[in-house]
Amino acid sequence: MSGDAAPGAAGEGNTRTRLDRGRGALGPALELVHTGRAPTRAVLTAELGVTRATAGAVAAELEALGLIRVDARPGAAAGSQGRPSHRLELAEDGPVALAAQVHADGFRAALVGLGGRLVATAPGCETVDADPAKVLRSVVEAGAELLRETGRRCVGAGVAVPSAVAEPEGTALNPLHLAWPAGAPVREIFAECVRAAGISGPAFAANDVNLAALAEHRHGAGRGARDLLCVATGHRGVGGALVLDGRLHTGSSGLALEVGHLTVNPEGRACHCGSRGCLDVEADPLAFLTAAGRDPGPEVSLLQQANELIRDHRADPGVRTAVETLIDRLGQGLAGLVNILNPDRIILGGLHRTLLDAAPERLRAVVADRSLWGRSGGVPILACTLDHNSLVGAAELAWQPVLDDPIAALARA
């Protein structure tokens, strides 16, 4: 019998060789599909800079892991020539991350799949206890119930909080709108609650606007931006985040971009930071309701009350004046940030998104008039497009280890 390998064995060896060569490309390949940048195997091949055979082996491995689906029989696009490439789609029944968000008017849990897709959400709670452990235990229990109902595999968990979160400790330094103690060990408490609920995978915590920016950069209005500035106000206060060269910039210890404490009205309202007229108290929902002469009601959140009032602002001169006042304050703050950061795109979330929709030209004019390069190189100002971007961003934290090394992360989970 000849010592040469049989044809079948040689083919298997070639497949293994291709997979071994592409093993290091699994994470980058998954991220390309996850962010919508590789809809076909041909695009994946070009983006990875590998051979078609290696790209095919990588796609097959990701499919075997239950992360993507390879459609080998797609219809050719109209007007296209040649053989159509296999389409790459995220597995609809694949693993999920547990995402949680806590804000001044409540908290919510959800399951989020690859691609930033919300698979299931739990009913939101409208009261937040002053004890962070009690709140985080409740939100994790709600997430655990979703996992039981759906039967999904969980890769990890992330929570978004309205506070600067110091790294590497994971402590919430200033959760003032929650009445939590300063320096609450949010990540540690959250991780303990996740383990106690029997949920596998790592647990993370981060600032809510940072996570909104991360989600929008990967799946929403910030996709394709190199230097992305995100400014948003949710239920209370104002936050900011910056994505530089495709990566979230959090500073030396996680505390970068506390834009809420930019002074935009020196004679304005007293801020809890000790200064006066900060964006935090001049451009959030409570500031708007106060400027419009409305007393906040207990029925719905401050954000919902402010949004509804702005949408009908043309019918009431007092409300219209309040809209213009907040736009001017916001525009002044954005102009200062443009002068310092020179972003290539600005996205606005929460109440600021509603303000932009109400008077887009006024806001853009204020930024242009007050920024050094506004007239010659205006920065696009867009609305955030993801309805639950902080939740999606919290899931991105849990998905990141899988994007870094799919095989190792799924083995741990």
Side-chain angles (χ1 to χ4, degrees):
M1 183 175 179
S2 169
D4 293 338
E12 292 168 5
N14 290 338
T15 300
R16 284 196 297 270
T17 299
R18 286 194 295 269
L19 186 54
D20 289 341
R21 289 174 180 170
R23 192 76 74 171
L26 286 176
L30 181 60
E31 183 168 347
L32 287 167
V33 182
H34 171 60
T35 55
R37 290 178 290 156
T40 67
R41 200 170 69 181
V43 176
L44 183 68
T45 301
E47 289 288 336
L48 293 178
V50 298
T51 65
R52 288 180 57 190
T54 297
V58 168
E61 178 73 0
L62 291 174
E63 185 172 36
L65 291 169
L67 299 171
I68 73 169
R69 187 173 71 87
V70 180
D71 185 352
R73 294 172 297 175
S80 64
Q81 296 181 353
R83 182 181 178 184
S85 178
H86 294 17
R87 292 201 60 82
L88 305 179
E89 301 171 350
L90 296 168
E92 292 186 0
D93 57 350
V96 294
L98 168 60
Q101 182 181 10
V102 182
H103 52 73
D105 291 317
F107 57 86
R108 179 181 291 275
L111 304 182
V112 183
L114 284 166
R117 182 172 56 89
L118 267 68
V119 172
T121 57
C125 178
E126 297 180 354
T127 59
V128 179
D129 196 271
D131 179 1
K134 185 174 181 179
V135 176
L136 294 173
R137 188 180 310 114
S138 296
V139 76
V140 169
E141 288 173 354
E145 179 61 26
L146 291 177
L147 288 170
R148 285 191 290 271
E149 291 174 357
T150 60
R152 294 297 188 98
R153 182 182 184 184
C154 184
V155 300
V159 61
V161 294
S163 167
V165 177
E167 298 295 346
E169 300 89 354
T171 55
L173 293 189
N174 58 345
L176 301 176
H177 298 305
L178 300 180
W180 287 0
V186 172
R187 183 187 298 157
E188 179 182 335
I189 296 171
F190 184 62
E192 289 175 355
C193 293
V194 168
R195 285 193 296 270
I199 299 171
S200 60
F204 304 90
N207 171 263
D208 53 0
V209 180
N210 277 349
L211 296 180
L214 180 62
E216 291 285 346
H217 185 262
R218 290 183 174 180
H219 309 293
R223 183 181 288 170
R226 179 179 177 183
D227 299 325
L228 174 70
L229 172 64
C230 175
V231 176
T233 176
H235 296 262
R236 290 293 303 276
V238 175
L242 184 65
V243 177
L244 291 177
D245 200 17
R247 298 185 66 84
L248 189 65
H249 174 72
T250 57
S252 61
S253 56
L255 309 180
L257 269 290
E258 281 292 306
V259 305
H261 299 291
L262 286 173
T263 299
V264 294
N265 183 15
E267 306 302 321
R269 299 176 180 85
C271 181
H272 47 261
C273 73
S275 185
R276 301 190 72 86
C278 296
L279 266 179
D280 219 45
V281 292
E282 295 286 340
D284 78 341
L286 181 59
F288 174 75
L289 293 170
T290 302
R294 298 296 199 274
D295 292 325
E299 297 82 10
V300 296
S301 71
L302 295 176
L303 178 60
Q304 185 175 339
Q305 293 176 61
N307 279 335
E308 290 174 353
L309 200 57
I310 290 173
R311 292 188 181 107
D312 298 327
H313 75 282
R314 300 186 189 282
D316 188 319
V319 175
R320 187 164 61 248
T321 299
V323 168
E324 293 172 352
T325 298
L326 253 74
I327 285 176
D328 291 349
R329 299 285 189 238
L330 174 61
Q332 183 176 343
L334 292 178
L337 292 167
V338 167
N339 290 338
I340 295 169
L341 302 172
N342 188 214
D344 59 16
R345 194 180 309 175
I346 298 171
I347 57 173
L348 302 178
L351 181 69
H352 295 163
R353 175 171 65 174
T354 311
L355 288 170
L356 176 64
D357 291 340
E361 297 311 315
R362 184 183 184 96
L363 179 59
R364 293 183 177 114
V366 172
V367 175
D369 287 344
R370 290 179 173 271
S371 60
L372 293 174
W373 358 95
R375 297 178 188 84
S376 60
V379 182
I381 303 175
L382 307 175
C384 290
T385 57
L386 302 178
D387 289 333
H388 301 285
N389 50 23
S390 290
L391 270 176
V392 174
E396 291 295 319
L397 294 179
W399 276 114
Q400 192 58 52
V402 181
L403 299 177
D404 291 337
D405 189 340
I407 293 177
L410 292 179
R412 289 192 297 268

